[in-house]
Amino acid sequence: MCARFKGRSLSVINDLSVEEQIFLYQKTRELKEAHKEGRGLDAFRLKNPEASFYLLFMEDSTRTKESFRNAAAFHGGRVNLFDAAGSSFNKMESISDTVKMLVGYAPSSTFIIRSRLEGLTAFLDDTLGEYCVHHGIEKPVFINAGDGKHEHPTQELLDEFSFLEQKNWDRSAIHLAIVGDLFHGRTVHSKVNGLRIFDSVRVDLIAPKELMMPEHYIDEMKGNGFSLRIFASIEEYLTQDDTAGIWYFTRLQLERMGDEVLEKAGQLRKAVTFRREFMPLLKPGTRFYHPLPRHKEHPTVPTFLDNTALNGWDAQSVNGYFTRIIEIGLLNGLYDGEAEKSLPPVCAKPAPSSSFVKEMPLNPEPKISDRKVGIKPVENGIVIDHISCGPSIETIWNNIDRIRKVLHLNVRSSHGVYHRNDPNFYKGIISLPDILSFSQKEVKKLAAVSPGCTINFIKDSRVYKKLRLDMPPRVYGFSEISCKNEACVSHASHHESVMTEFLRAGEQTFKCKYCEKPFHYDEIWDL
Ligand code: CP
């Protein structure tokens, strides 16, 4: 039986199931109570003198770094603060090479990493896992301490813990206003799934369009069953009286914005900054939260609120220490025995289905040579049919082009765009008299570049086999694909030698395995 938590990494909030997150909150609550009552805390401490902790922060941090440093010190063992600024990164050493080397110096290690590279810890968990098996080293635990504008799962855990405290542990419902830079704010992006611990979720997003949450996160929240409303400013939000009791503010990350947006900085800031005149419009008992830091000149939560009952952010910040003690213990297996008794069994992830290739019944189809229009009849060979069926002729031509490049179809062929029963609908056809079969890899490529198409295998002018292709569950190992997110760890500009991998995420969408950015299937190709 494999261990429940030991050796797992935390790259995104969904790396822990809802039940596991609730378990973590319960343990944190027990720790806080024991701490408050001055009881012994040994039950919360790892008993492994060999344990070592590497804090590798390649972006600035105060709270996450210091709370993790203290949480690691609580557990004992070796706490190493990696000097990213003075390291061989400056000699163009890759992060994966650096971490490989550190793993050898620090057996039984937990790496806590902040980076602007999105998906870095997920990538390290993959590659270092294989490396450690090969070298007989215990696989390290990787904890994402914030990656670009992707996720900040440990901030999310302390945020949700703080909300639970305010709600006296009632998980039946939450009504949350999220205010500020929802575009860049990774703490907000982690809420898209972190809020699933509540049975019923209402979210009010408050931000001008320049700072609004990316569409795919909004869709995901809707997919999670959250009820959503969108407002352009706090002022607009307060013109109606159904306001949330919990407000979560974020800092404007102007340093990440282009000149066009920066020109409007004052206006954007005003839209998401709380003002004294708003005070009477708040619902009684409202509490404000903020991951901090606040901007010292332009805080979205002004300092005149510090000594009011609205201040939830100070206690929230302290919770970072307690939740992170539990996270380290959890991922190092401290609670595995207890978790086994109280949590539902771990289900092995089902292997991705390979049912993207479906053999179709053969209609008493006319001989290919009977086709009246266009395509050159094929006596023996392959016809790719139903390419990009739809109203857009341009899309079909583009996809015919892409298929020819992806499959390197430098052979005799004919191709074209044809009507599909309905006069407003078209489809593409490529006929290949010189090709008798496709390899599995070619079929998968075709499924990923043109889902919905069919492959007709023809012998003696008759179709003897017909396959319909759907989007594959995983696409990897093709040199023609790449993640187009420049901040993704797999982006070629970072030279981390990451094999691009996409996972099916919807009818026509793949998402990058590492940065999780979604792309329409025709966007993943470099052609
Ligand atoms: N909340 C947060 O991540 O703060 P730091 O940047 O100070 O770590």
Side-chain angles (χ1 to χ4, degrees), residues 140-159:
V141 168
F142 292 99
I143 298 180
N144 175 11
D147 58 340
K149 54 184 187 323
H150 177 217
E151 280 224 23
H152 195 341
T154 68
Q155 177 71 47
E156 177 58 9
L157 291 166
L158 79 91
D159 291 347

Side-chain angles (χ1 to χ4, degrees), residues 90-309:
N90 296 331
K91 295 185 238 169
M92 286 298 283
E93 182 166 30
S94 72
I95 298 173
S96 46
D97 266 7
T98 304
V99 174
K100 264 184 198 168
M101 180 263 308
L102 295 177
V103 167
Y105 299 163
S108 197
S109 52
T110 300
F111 282 84
I112 297 145
I113 303 181
R114 171 169 290 188
S115 167
R116 69 189 171 86
L117 293 191
E118 298 177 8
L120 176 60
T121 51
F123 159 64
L124 291 173
D125 194 54
D126 268 7
T127 47
L128 269 291
E130 287 163 24
Y131 171 86
C132 290
V133 169
H134 190 71
H135 291 275
I137 304 170
E138 192 181 337
K139 187 189 86 63
V141 168
F142 292 99
I143 298 180
N144 175 11
D147 58 340
K149 54 184 187 323
H150 177 217
E151 280 224 23
H152 195 341
T154 68
Q155 177 71 47
E156 177 58 9
L157 291 166
L158 79 91
D159 291 347
E160 296 302 329
F161 182 82
S162 306
F163 300 159
L164 283 170
E165 276 188 327
Q166 177 177 340
K167 294 183 66 58
N168 209 13
W169 308 100
D170 174 9
R171 290 191 298 107
S172 59
I174 188 166
H175 184 189
L176 177 72
I178 310 183
V179 192
D181 187 347
L182 315 187
F183 184 80
H184 298 94
R186 56 195 172 202
T187 69
V188 171
H189 302 161
S190 288
K191 294 209 158 20
V192 169
N193 285 302
L195 283 165
R196 291 191 301 128
I197 58 157
F198 293 96
D199 298 335
S200 162
V201 179
R202 293 180 63 198
V203 175
D204 297 330
L205 300 175
I206 305 174
K209 68 177 186 333
E210 292 84 351
L211 304 179
M212 187 41 73
M213 195 178 255
E215 202 63 38
H216 68 92
Y217 286 124
I218 293 182
D219 290 344
E220 204 172 336
M221 282 202 276
K222 287 180 186 162
N224 285 340
F226 300 0
S227 155
L228 279 190
R229 297 186 301 169
I230 292 180
F231 300 86
S233 66
I234 297 177
E235 201 161 358
E236 183 189 315
Y237 186 51
L238 292 173
T239 57
Q240 51 89 50
D241 53 16
D242 184 16
T243 57
I246 302 180
W247 292 42
Y248 187 86
F249 287 80
T250 63
R251 178 177 71 88
L252 265 67
Q253 299 185 37
L254 294 173
E255 69 277 11
R256 298 185 200 251
M257 297 180 193
D259 290 345
E260 222 170 276
V261 178
L262 276 178
E263 271 173 31
K264 299 187 212 164
Q267 203 184 316
L268 299 177
R269 215 179 268 128
K270 188 171 174 209
V272 293
T273 299
F274 194 80
R275 303 203 291 271
R276 203 180 287 273
E277 73 218 48
F278 296 149
M279 295 279 277
L281 302 173
L282 293 175
K283 213 161 96 171
T286 297
R287 185 71 54 98
F288 287 178
Y289 295 87
H290 192 308
L292 306 176
R294 286 185 288 180
H295 191 283
K296 65 181 177 184
E297 195 182 352
H298 305 290
T300 51
V301 176
T303 49
F304 72 83
L305 294 171
D306 284 5
N307 297 320
T308 70

Side-chain angles (χ1 to χ4, degrees), residues 57 60-65 114 145 152 155 186-187 291-293 324:
F57 279 67
D60 298 341
S61 169
T62 302
R63 269 145 290 273
T64 312
K65 188 168 163 184
R114 171 169 290 188
H152 195 341
Q155 177 71 47
R186 56 195 172 202
T187 69
L292 306 176
R324 285 167 175 139

Side-chain angles (χ1 to χ4, degrees), residues 34-77:
H35 179 263
K36 188 171 166 197
E37 290 163 13
R39 285 189 268 126
L41 302 181
D42 277 353
F44 301 94
R45 227 182 287 277
L46 287 172
K47 290 145 197 95
N48 178 8
E50 288 302 309
S52 62
F53 306 95
Y54 254 104
L55 276 70
L56 213 163
F57 279 67
M58 292 168 272
E59 272 193 335
D60 298 341
S61 169
T62 302
R63 269 145 290 273
T64 312
K65 188 168 163 184
E66 289 305 313
S67 58
F68 262 123
R69 189 170 64 80
N70 283 288
F74 171 91
H75 284 289

Side-chain angles (χ1 to χ4, degrees), residues 362-522:
L362 295 176
N363 300 328
E365 207 167 323
K367 283 184 177 182
I368 290 293
S369 56
D370 290 344
R371 285 178 192 273
K372 295 248 180 339
V373 255
I375 213 92
K376 183 170 168 44
V378 173
E379 278 177 30
N380 294 295
I382 284 179
V383 172
I384 306 171
D385 198 351
H386 303 99
I387 297 168
S388 303
C389 293
S392 165
I393 291 179
E394 187 184 354
T395 304
I396 298 171
W397 275 120
N398 285 341
N399 218 10
I400 287 175
D401 243 20
R402 215 175 278 124
I403 291 170
R404 297 182 59 79
K405 285 180 183 149
V406 165
L407 295 184
H408 308 288
L409 295 176
N410 301 317
V411 289
R412 273 192 317 140
S413 78
S414 57
H415 51 262
V417 177
Y418 300 89
H419 270 306
R420 240 209 114 186
N421 305 334
D422 181 327
N424 296 316
F425 273 79
Y426 304 91
K427 64 175 182 175
I429 296 180
I430 303 177
S431 99
L432 300 159
D434 289 338
I435 293 182
L436 299 178
S437 66
F438 280 146
S439 66
Q440 275 188 348
K441 186 173 172 180
E442 285 167 330
V443 171
K444 194 170 185 188
K445 270 188 174 176
L446 186 54
V449 78
S450 186
C453 76
T454 52
I455 313 178
N456 299 275
F457 297 87
I458 298 157
K459 195 171 177 199
D460 300 332
S461 302
R462 289 208 171 268
V463 176
Y464 69 92
K465 186 163 132 184
K466 182 173 187 159
L467 303 177
R468 181 171 295 284
L469 307 185
D470 200 357
M471 298 247 304
R474 279 173 77 203
V475 182
Y476 58 96
F478 299 154
S479 56
E480 304 89 348
I481 57 172
S482 67
C483 178
K484 307 301 181 283
N485 173 12
E486 286 178 13
C488 179
V489 65
S490 74
H491 196 270
S493 59
H494 305 303
H495 307 286
E496 288 293 340
S497 308
V498 183
M499 183 182 74
T500 306
E501 182 167 341
F502 288 101
L503 306 174
R504 181 178 169 151
E507 275 292 293
Q508 306 209 311
T509 315
F510 287 115
K511 71 172 180 182
C512 171
K513 181 182 182 189
Y514 298 112
C515 72
E516 301 189 306
K517 199 170 162 60
F519 297 94
H520 188 267
Y521 66 79
D522 61 15

